[in-house]
Amino acid sequence: MSPIDEFRQQTRAWLEENCPESQRRPVVKEEQIWAGRDRVFATPDAKLWFERMRDKGWTAPTWPIEYGGGGLTSDEEKVLEKEMARLNCRPPLYDLGLWMLGPALLVHGNEAQKQEHISKIVRGDIRWAQGYSEPAAGSDLASLKTRAEDMGDHFLVNGTKIWTTQADKADWIFALVRTDSSGTKHQGISFILIDMRSAGVSTTPIELISGDSEFCQTFFDDVKVPKENIVGELNNGWAVAKELLKHERKLMATMESIVQREDESLVELATEYIGMDESGKLNDSTIRSRITDQLMTADALEYLNERLFFQYRSKQVDSGLPLTVKYLGTNAIQQKDELLLLILGNHSLSWQEQSHTPREHNIVQNWAYNKAHTIAGGTSEIQLNIIAKRALGLPA
């Protein structure tokens, strides 16, 4: 038996023994396990599943063992993912630190920062928010105005960030701040870590079209931040920002795998709401054709992600591919949402939960919420510009 087959056998046995039955079904939003000092578990089984995965380092399977990660190779991580998918295991932990900050810190953080923050991310002890976008900057991230003034022994941060995901529940925030205005707009930016308990930090939730308030505006008023909280070189935070954006765009492209999922497939839903004709086909040729297109798109995206995985493994990544997958993946989510509403017909018209089944209500809510996917992590318009310049080599 090859080493990877032996690992697969051991992983399958471990998951069978340690993943509670209740954690082997699609996760709903209310039962997601988010990191943080005030971490909440919906059930004892959820807590048990999280603790077992955490103690094995499999909340961050490929991160170094010395920081609490699993130390797996990329091949072993792929095996773990497939075995978890086979059992339908829920993700054990949700956090922007896990998805975005941690990978960037492993590349650009100094040893003290890794020792301080990486293990806490792996263990889900701290919940992170992202401070990138600003109210007056639009999609031009580098035009940020939030400043960090050098006060000798610390920085004094003033400004505001918007679309900070659940910042009102976060313990820390990673942010881009301007520390020098003498160069181009991409110069003089620094990447800084801020404790949300610091004096002068405040948040205001933003109500979304879905009725949720998962985003906030975060304000910094004379916030003192230790100088050791700068990640990477002072005034060279754009390099850290780009590293982090790679992981954010990858996250956005695969968002459907970590958010609340519907139990039914497109075909099953259409069969129930539209019905079949005498020949056994869906009783609407237009929807039948669109479902076919959607399923083909989903398969194509799966193959693209598979290709991307192997490129990362061989360290020969086509730099244009992650950009393209983010654009295609987020648009595919919205196209599927539109198709789901089309299938529901009149059952998708009302916003009142009492007039719908919970499933219908969730589909409509997700349609509204997922509108953000083509904005978060860089709008589709910005993404197309980047693809045109970096992937296709077109003139600016």
CSV table of all heavy atoms in Angstrom, one decimal, residues 170-216:
chain,number,residue,atom,x,y,z
A,170,ALA,N,-16.2,40.6,15.9
A,170,ALA,CA,-14.8,40.2,15.8
A,170,ALA,C,-13.9,40.7,17.0
A,170,ALA,O,-14.3,41.7,17.6
A,170,ALA,CB,-14.2,40.9,14.5
A,171,ASP,N,-12.9,40.0,17.2
A,171,ASP,CA,-11.9,40.3,18.3
A,171,ASP,C,-10.8,41.2,17.8
A,171,ASP,O,-10.3,42.0,18.5
A,171,ASP,CB,-11.4,39.0,18.9
A,171,ASP,CG,-12.4,38.1,19.4
A,171,ASP,OD1,-13.3,38.5,20.2
A,171,ASP,OD2,-12.5,36.9,18.9
A,172,TRP,N,-10.3,40.9,16.6
A,172,TRP,CA,-9.3,41.7,15.9
A,172,TRP,C,-9.6,42.0,14.5
A,172,TRP,O,-10.5,41.3,13.9
A,172,TRP,CB,-7.9,40.9,15.9
A,172,TRP,CG,-7.2,40.9,17.2
A,172,TRP,CD1,-7.6,40.3,18.4
A,172,TRP,CD2,-5.9,41.5,17.5
A,172,TRP,NE1,-6.6,40.5,19.4
A,172,TRP,CE2,-5.6,41.2,18.9
A,172,TRP,CE3,-5.0,42.2,16.8
A,172,TRP,CZ2,-4.4,41.7,19.5
A,172,TRP,CZ3,-3.9,42.7,17.3
A,172,TRP,CH2,-3.6,42.4,18.7
A,173,ILE,N,-9.0,43.0,13.9
A,173,ILE,CA,-9.2,43.3,12.5
A,173,ILE,C,-7.8,43.5,11.9
A,173,ILE,O,-6.9,44.1,12.5
A,173,ILE,CB,-10.1,44.6,12.4
A,173,ILE,CG1,-10.5,44.8,10.9
A,173,ILE,CG2,-9.4,45.8,13.0
A,173,ILE,CD1,-11.5,45.9,10.8
A,174,PHE,N,-7.7,43.0,10.6
A,174,PHE,CA,-6.5,43.3,9.9
A,174,PHE,C,-6.9,44.4,8.9
A,174,PHE,O,-8.0,44.3,8.3
A,174,PHE,CB,-5.9,42.1,9.2
A,174,PHE,CG,-6.9,41.3,8.4
A,174,PHE,CD1,-7.1,41.6,7.0
A,174,PHE,CD2,-7.5,40.2,8.9
A,174,PHE,CE1,-8.0,40.8,6.3
A,174,PHE,CE2,-8.4,39.4,8.2
A,174,PHE,CZ,-8.6,39.7,6.8
A,175,ALA,N,-6.0,45.4,8.7
A,175,ALA,CA,-6.5,46.6,7.9
A,175,ALA,C,-5.3,47.2,7.1
A,175,ALA,O,-4.1,47.0,7.5
A,175,ALA,CB,-7.0,47.7,8.8
A,176,LEU,N,-5.7,47.8,6.0
A,176,LEU,CA,-4.7,48.6,5.3
A,176,LEU,C,-4.8,50.1,5.7
A,176,LEU,O,-5.9,50.6,5.7
A,176,LEU,CB,-5.0,48.5,3.8
A,176,LEU,CG,-4.8,47.1,3.1
A,176,LEU,CD1,-5.2,47.1,1.7
A,176,LEU,CD2,-3.3,46.7,3.3
A,177,VAL,N,-3.7,50.7,6.0
A,177,VAL,CA,-3.7,52.1,6.4
A,177,VAL,C,-2.6,52.8,5.6
A,177,VAL,O,-1.6,52.2,5.2
A,177,VAL,CB,-3.4,52.2,7.9
A,177,VAL,CG1,-4.6,51.6,8.7
A,177,VAL,CG2,-2.1,51.5,8.3
A,178,ARG,N,-2.8,54.1,5.5
A,178,ARG,CA,-1.8,54.9,4.8
A,178,ARG,C,-0.8,55.4,5.8
A,178,ARG,O,-1.1,56.1,6.8
A,178,ARG,CB,-2.4,56.1,4.0
A,178,ARG,CG,-1.4,56.8,3.2
A,178,ARG,CD,-2.0,57.5,2.0
A,178,ARG,NE,-2.7,56.7,1.0
A,178,ARG,CZ,-2.0,55.9,0.2
A,178,ARG,NH1,-0.7,55.9,0.1
A,178,ARG,NH2,-2.7,55.1,-0.7
A,179,THR,N,0.5,55.1,5.6
A,179,THR,CA,1.6,55.6,6.5
A,179,THR,C,2.5,56.6,5.8
A,179,THR,O,3.4,57.1,6.4
A,179,THR,CB,2.4,54.4,7.0
A,179,THR,OG1,2.6,53.5,6.0
A,179,THR,CG2,1.6,53.7,8.1
A,180,ASP,N,2.3,56.8,4.5
A,180,ASP,CA,3.1,57.8,3.8
A,180,ASP,C,2.4,58.2,2.5
A,180,ASP,O,1.9,57.3,1.8
A,180,ASP,CB,4.5,57.1,3.4
A,180,ASP,CG,5.4,58.1,2.8
A,180,ASP,OD1,5.0,59.3,2.5
A,180,ASP,OD2,6.6,57.8,2.6
A,181,SER,N,2.3,59.5,2.3
A,181,SER,CA,1.5,60.0,1.1
A,181,SER,C,2.4,60.6,0.1
A,181,SER,O,1.9,61.2,-0.9
A,181,SER,CB,0.5,61.1,1.6
A,181,SER,OG,-0.4,60.5,2.5
A,182,SER,N,3.7,60.4,0.2
A,182,SER,CA,4.6,61.1,-0.7
A,182,SER,C,4.8,60.4,-2.1
A,182,SER,O,5.2,61.0,-3.1
A,182,SER,CB,6.0,61.2,-0.1
A,182,SER,OG,6.6,59.9,0.2
A,183,GLY,N,4.5,59.1,-2.2
A,183,GLY,CA,4.7,58.3,-3.4
A,183,GLY,C,3.4,58.1,-4.2
A,183,GLY,O,2.4,58.9,-4.1
A,184,THR,N,3.4,57.1,-5.1
A,184,THR,CA,2.1,56.7,-5.8
A,184,THR,C,1.1,56.1,-4.8
A,184,THR,O,1.5,55.8,-3.6
A,184,THR,CB,2.5,55.7,-6.9
A,184,THR,OG1,2.8,54.5,-6.2
A,184,THR,CG2,3.6,56.2,-7.8
A,185,LYS,N,-0.1,55.9,-5.3
A,185,LYS,CA,-1.1,55.5,-4.3
A,185,LYS,C,-0.9,54.1,-3.8
A,185,LYS,O,-1.4,53.7,-2.7
A,185,LYS,CB,-2.5,55.6,-5.0
A,185,LYS,CG,-2.8,54.7,-6.1
A,185,LYS,CD,-4.2,54.9,-6.7
A,185,LYS,CE,-4.5,54.0,-7.9
A,185,LYS,NZ,-5.8,54.2,-8.4
A,186,HIS,N,-0.2,53.3,-4.6
A,186,HIS,CA,0.1,51.9,-4.1
A,186,HIS,C,1.3,51.9,-3.1
A,186,HIS,O,1.5,50.9,-2.5
A,186,HIS,CB,0.4,51.0,-5.3
A,186,HIS,CG,-0.8,50.7,-6.1
A,186,HIS,ND1,-1.2,51.4,-7.2
A,186,HIS,CD2,-1.8,49.8,-5.9
A,186,HIS,CE1,-2.3,51.0,-7.7
A,186,HIS,NE2,-2.7,50.0,-7.0
A,187,GLN,N,2.0,53.0,-3.0
A,187,GLN,CA,3.2,53.1,-2.1
A,187,GLN,C,2.6,53.8,-0.8
A,187,GLN,O,1.6,54.4,-0.8
A,187,GLN,CB,4.3,53.9,-2.7
A,187,GLN,CG,4.9,53.3,-3.9
A,187,GLN,CD,5.9,54.2,-4.6
A,187,GLN,OE1,5.8,55.4,-4.6
A,187,GLN,NE2,6.9,53.6,-5.3
A,188,GLY,N,3.4,53.6,0.3
A,188,GLY,CA,3.0,54.3,1.5
A,188,GLY,C,1.8,53.6,2.2
A,188,GLY,O,1.2,54.2,3.1
A,189,ILE,N,1.4,52.4,1.8
A,189,ILE,CA,0.4,51.7,2.5
A,189,ILE,C,1.0,50.6,3.4
A,189,ILE,O,2.0,50.0,3.0
A,189,ILE,CB,-0.6,51.0,1.4
A,189,ILE,CG1,-1.3,52.1,0.7
A,189,ILE,CG2,-1.5,50.0,2.1
A,189,ILE,CD1,-2.2,51.5,-0.5
A,190,SER,N,0.5,50.5,4.6
A,190,SER,CA,1.0,49.4,5.5
A,190,SER,C,-0.2,48.5,5.9
A,190,SER,O,-1.3,48.9,6.0
A,190,SER,CB,1.6,50.1,6.7
A,190,SER,OG,2.8,50.8,6.3
A,191,PHE,N,0.2,47.3,6.3
A,191,PHE,CA,-0.8,46.3,6.7
A,191,PHE,C,-0.6,46.2,8.2
A,191,PHE,O,0.4,45.8,8.7
A,191,PHE,CB,-0.4,45.0,6.0
A,191,PHE,CG,-1.5,43.9,6.1
A,191,PHE,CD1,-2.4,43.6,5.1
A,191,PHE,CD2,-1.5,43.1,7.3
A,191,PHE,CE1,-3.3,42.6,5.3
A,191,PHE,CE2,-2.5,42.1,7.5
A,191,PHE,CZ,-3.4,41.8,6.4
A,192,ILE,N,-1.7,46.4,8.9
A,192,ILE,CA,-1.6,46.5,10.4
A,192,ILE,C,-2.7,45.6,11.0
A,192,ILE,O,-3.8,45.4,10.5
A,192,ILE,CB,-1.8,48.0,10.8
A,192,ILE,CG1,-1.2,48.2,12.2
A,192,ILE,CG2,-3.2,48.5,10.6
A,192,ILE,CD1,-1.0,49.7,12.5
A,193,LEU,N,-2.4,45.1,12.2
A,193,LEU,CA,-3.3,44.3,13.0
A,193,LEU,C,-3.8,45.1,14.2
A,193,LEU,O,-3.0,45.7,14.9
A,193,LEU,CB,-2.6,43.0,13.5
A,193,LEU,CG,-1.9,42.2,12.4
A,193,LEU,CD1,-1.2,41.0,13.1
A,193,LEU,CD2,-2.9,41.8,11.4
A,194,ILE,N,-5.1,45.2,14.4
A,194,ILE,CA,-5.7,46.1,15.4
A,194,ILE,C,-6.6,45.3,16.3
A,194,ILE,O,-7.6,44.6,15.8
A,194,ILE,CB,-6.5,47.3,14.8
A,194,ILE,CG1,-5.5,48.1,13.9
A,194,ILE,CG2,-7.1,48.1,15.9
A,194,ILE,CD1,-6.3,49.2,13.1
A,195,ASP,N,-6.4,45.4,17.6
A,195,ASP,CA,-7.3,44.7,18.6
A,195,ASP,C,-8.6,45.5,18.7
A,195,ASP,O,-8.6,46.7,18.9
A,195,ASP,CB,-6.6,44.7,20.0
A,195,ASP,CG,-7.4,43.9,21.0
A,195,ASP,OD1,-8.6,43.7,20.9
A,195,ASP,OD2,-6.7,43.4,22.0
A,196,MET,N,-9.8,44.9,18.4
A,196,MET,CA,-11.0,45.6,18.4
A,196,MET,C,-11.4,46.1,19.8
A,196,MET,O,-12.3,47.0,19.9
A,196,MET,CB,-12.1,44.7,17.9
A,196,MET,CG,-12.0,44.2,16.4
A,196,MET,SD,-12.2,45.6,15.3
A,196,MET,CE,-14.0,45.8,15.3
A,197,ARG,N,-10.7,45.7,20.8
A,197,ARG,CA,-11.0,46.2,22.2
A,197,ARG,C,-10.3,47.5,22.4
A,197,ARG,O,-10.5,48.1,23.5
A,197,ARG,CB,-10.7,45.2,23.3
A,197,ARG,CG,-11.5,43.9,23.2
A,197,ARG,CD,-11.0,42.9,24.3
A,197,ARG,NE,-9.6,42.6,24.1
A,197,ARG,CZ,-9.0,41.6,24.8
A,197,ARG,NH1,-9.7,40.9,25.7
A,197,ARG,NH2,-7.8,41.3,24.6
A,198,SER,N,-9.5,48.0,21.5
A,198,SER,CA,-8.7,49.2,21.7
A,198,SER,C,-9.6,50.4,21.8
A,198,SER,O,-10.7,50.5,21.2
A,198,SER,CB,-7.8,49.4,20.5
A,198,SER,OG,-6.9,48.3,20.3
A,199,ALA,N,-9.3,51.3,22.7
A,199,ALA,CA,-10.1,52.6,22.8
A,199,ALA,C,-10.1,53.3,21.5
A,199,ALA,O,-9.1,53.4,20.8
A,199,ALA,CB,-9.4,53.4,23.9
A,200,GLY,N,-11.3,53.8,21.1
A,200,GLY,CA,-11.5,54.5,19.8
A,200,GLY,C,-12.0,53.7,18.7
A,200,GLY,O,-12.3,54.2,17.6
A,201,VAL,N,-12.1,52.3,18.8
A,201,VAL,CA,-12.7,51.5,17.8
A,201,VAL,C,-14.2,51.3,18.0
A,201,VAL,O,-14.6,51.0,19.1
A,201,VAL,CB,-12.0,50.1,17.8
A,201,VAL,CG1,-12.7,49.2,16.7
A,201,VAL,CG2,-10.5,50.2,17.5
A,202,SER,N,-15.0,51.5,17.0
A,202,SER,CA,-16.4,51.3,17.1
A,202,SER,C,-17.0,50.8,15.8
A,202,SER,O,-16.4,50.9,14.7
A,202,SER,CB,-17.2,52.6,17.5
A,202,SER,OG,-16.9,53.6,16.5
A,203,THR,N,-18.1,50.1,15.9
A,203,THR,CA,-18.7,49.5,14.7
A,203,THR,C,-20.2,49.9,14.6
A,203,THR,O,-20.9,50.0,15.6
A,203,THR,CB,-18.6,48.0,14.7
A,203,THR,OG1,-19.2,47.5,15.8
A,203,THR,CG2,-17.2,47.6,14.7
A,204,THR,N,-20.7,50.0,13.3
A,204,THR,CA,-22.2,50.2,13.1
A,204,THR,C,-22.6,49.1,12.1
A,204,THR,O,-22.1,49.2,10.9
A,204,THR,CB,-22.4,51.6,12.6
A,204,THR,OG1,-22.0,52.5,13.5
A,204,THR,CG2,-23.9,51.8,12.3
A,205,PRO,N,-23.5,48.2,12.4
A,205,PRO,CA,-24.0,47.2,11.4
A,205,PRO,C,-24.7,47.9,10.3
A,205,PRO,O,-25.4,48.9,10.4
A,205,PRO,CB,-25.0,46.4,12.3
A,205,PRO,CG,-24.5,46.5,13.7
A,205,PRO,CD,-24.1,48.0,13.7
A,206,ILE,N,-24.6,47.3,9.1
A,206,ILE,CA,-25.3,47.7,7.9
A,206,ILE,C,-26.4,46.7,7.5
A,206,ILE,O,-26.1,45.5,7.3
A,206,ILE,CB,-24.3,47.9,6.7
A,206,ILE,CG1,-23.2,48.9,7.1
A,206,ILE,CG2,-25.0,48.3,5.4
A,206,ILE,CD1,-22.0,48.9,6.1
A,207,GLU,N,-27.6,47.2,7.4
A,207,GLU,CA,-28.7,46.2,7.0
A,207,GLU,C,-28.7,46.0,5.5
A,207,GLU,O,-28.6,46.9,4.7
A,207,GLU,CB,-30.1,46.8,7.4
A,207,GLU,CG,-31.2,45.8,7.2
A,207,GLU,CD,-32.5,46.2,7.7
A,207,GLU,OE1,-32.5,47.3,8.4
A,207,GLU,OE2,-33.5,45.5,7.5
A,208,LEU,N,-28.7,44.7,5.1
A,208,LEU,CA,-28.6,44.3,3.7
A,208,LEU,C,-30.0,44.1,3.1
A,208,LEU,O,-31.0,44.0,3.9
A,208,LEU,CB,-27.8,43.1,3.6
A,208,LEU,CG,-26.4,43.1,4.2
A,208,LEU,CD1,-25.7,41.7,4.0
A,208,LEU,CD2,-25.6,44.2,3.5
A,209,ILE,N,-30.1,44.0,1.8
A,209,ILE,CA,-31.3,43.7,1.1
A,209,ILE,C,-32.0,42.4,1.6
A,209,ILE,O,-33.2,42.3,1.6
A,209,ILE,CB,-31.1,43.7,-0.4
A,209,ILE,CG1,-32.5,43.7,-1.1
A,209,ILE,CG2,-30.2,42.6,-0.8
A,209,ILE,CD1,-32.3,43.8,-2.6
A,210,SER,N,-31.1,41.5,2.0
A,210,SER,CA,-31.7,40.2,2.5
A,210,SER,C,-32.3,40.3,3.9
A,210,SER,O,-32.9,39.4,4.3
A,210,SER,CB,-30.5,39.2,2.6
A,210,SER,OG,-29.6,39.6,3.5
A,211,GLY,N,-32.1,41.4,4.5
A,211,GLY,CA,-32.7,41.6,5.9
A,211,GLY,C,-31.6,41.3,7.0
A,211,GLY,O,-31.8,41.6,8.1
A,212,ASP,N,-30.5,40.7,6.5
A,212,ASP,CA,-29.4,40.4,7.5
A,212,ASP,C,-28.5,41.7,7.7
A,212,ASP,O,-28.7,42.6,6.9
A,212,ASP,CB,-28.5,39.3,7.0
A,212,ASP,CG,-29.3,38.0,6.9
A,212,ASP,OD1,-30.2,37.8,7.7
A,212,ASP,OD2,-28.9,37.1,6.1
A,213,SER,N,-27.7,41.6,8.7
A,213,SER,CA,-26.7,42.7,8.9
A,213,SER,C,-25.4,42.1,9.2
A,213,SER,O,-24.8,42.2,10.3
A,213,SER,CB,-27.2,43.5,10.1
A,213,SER,OG,-28.4,44.1,9.9
A,214,GLU,N,-24.8,41.4,8.2
A,214,GLU,CA,-23.6,40.7,8.4
A,214,GLU,C,-22.4,41.7,8.1
A,214,GLU,O,-21.2,41.3,8.4
A,214,GLU,CB,-23.5,39.5,7.4
A,214,GLU,CG,-24.6,38.5,7.7
A,214,GLU,CD,-24.3,37.2,7.0
A,214,GLU,OE1,-23.3,37.1,6.4
A,214,GLU,OE2,-25.2,36.3,7.1
A,215,PHE,N,-22.6,42.8,7.6
A,215,PHE,CA,-21.5,43.8,7.4
A,215,PHE,C,-21.6,45.0,8.3
A,215,PHE,O,-22.7,45.3,8.7
A,215,PHE,CB,-21.5,44.2,5.9
A,215,PHE,CG,-21.3,43.1,4.9
A,215,PHE,CD1,-22.3,42.5,4.3
A,215,PHE,CD2,-20.0,42.7,4.6
A,215,PHE,CE1,-22.1,41.4,3.4
A,215,PHE,CE2,-19.8,41.6,3.8
A,215,PHE,CZ,-20.9,41.0,3.1
A,216,CYS,N,-20.5,45.7,8.5
A,216,CYS,CA,-20.5,46.8,9.4
A,216,CYS,C,-19.7,47.9,8.7
A,216,CYS,O,-18.9,47.7,7.8
A,216,CYS,CB,-19.8,46.5,10.7
A,216,CYS,SG,-20.7,45.3,11.7
